Amino acid sequence: MHTMSSSQVSTIKERLPITDVVSSYIRLEKAGNYLRARCPFHNEKTASFYVSPARGTFRCFGCGKGGDIVTFVEAIEGLTFKEALARLADRAGVELVYEKKSPEDYRRILLTKINEEAKDWFAKNLESHTEAKKYLTSRGLTEETIREFSLGVALGSWDGLVEH
């Protein structure tokens, strides 16, 4: 599988203000710190579509659609994320470079997520197990140390983590 770096996406967003992208499809009117228009995604008589230049986002309070420039181009053009990003990259003068990830990379990512979930589960168990907390504090550990080292406890069953 091929992925692009998040810095490429950030560069595209920096070079293409959301107001420029959206106004190339619909007419925007100033409304305080925002710009507004009739929503291009559903039929309406009053403008409920707002663009926030400061945040680089849009939101329609009528139909609930919202997001950034990529989301907007995806929706208005009927494109996939990758197609919308390619169109915006071309417009911004950014060459998309895709990185190929190996199966080993994905395996490492998955194992990291699994370990993170296990760590959080054991730590959550410790929060509700007063006897284990008392034992750790009697050994001189502070709450800060317990959090810093992500200490936790396995409860009575041998398969609790697996069941979780």
Side-chain angles (χ1 to χ4, degrees), residues 1-146:
M1 176 167 271
H2 295 76
T3 60
M4 66 215 54
S5 74
S6 61
S7 65
Q8 290 175 317
V9 176
S10 297
T11 301
I12 293 167
K13 288 180 180 181
E14 286 168 12
R15 290 189 185 176
L16 296 176
I18 191 161
T19 52
D20 293 354
V21 173
V22 174
S23 66
S24 68
Y25 292 93
I26 60 174
R27 196 169 91 82
L28 295 171
E29 299 171 357
K30 189 87 171 129
N33 293 334
Y34 301 92
L35 295 153
R36 72 175 178 201
R38 290 197 344 238
C39 182
F41 305 116
H42 77 284
N43 194 6
E44 65 178 2
K45 292 183 180 165
T46 335
S48 62
F49 181 89
Y50 286 81
V51 174
S52 169
R55 290 189 183 119
T57 60
F58 74 92
R59 180 129 197 89
C60 176
F61 293 96
C63 67
K65 204 173 263 306
D68 60 12
I69 59 172
V70 182
T71 313
F72 181 80
V73 171
E74 271 182 271
I76 201 142
E77 295 276 345
L79 303 173
T80 65
F81 174 82
K82 194 173 178 181
E83 292 167 335
L85 195 59
R87 184 161 295 167
L88 289 165
D90 186 50
R91 185 171 167 177
V94 173
E95 182 183 349
L96 291 180
V97 178
Y98 293 92
E99 302 164 355
K100 185 172 182 172
K101 291 200 182 276
S102 70
E104 187 58 37
D105 291 333
Y106 286 106
R107 183 173 185 270
R108 190 176 305 106
I109 291 166
L110 179 61
L111 288 174
T112 300
K113 286 181 179 180
I114 290 169
N115 279 310
E116 194 71 27
E117 180 67 27
K119 174 193 69 116
D120 292 345
W121 184 76
F122 287 120
K124 186 176 179 198
N125 287 344
L126 181 60
E127 286 175 21
S128 61
H129 200 280
T130 54
E131 193 175 315
K133 274 181 153 178
K134 281 182 187 175
Y135 173 76
L136 291 174
T137 54
S138 75
R139 300 293 308 254
L141 298 174
T142 65
E143 286 286 330
E144 184 181 321
T145 303
I146 292 169

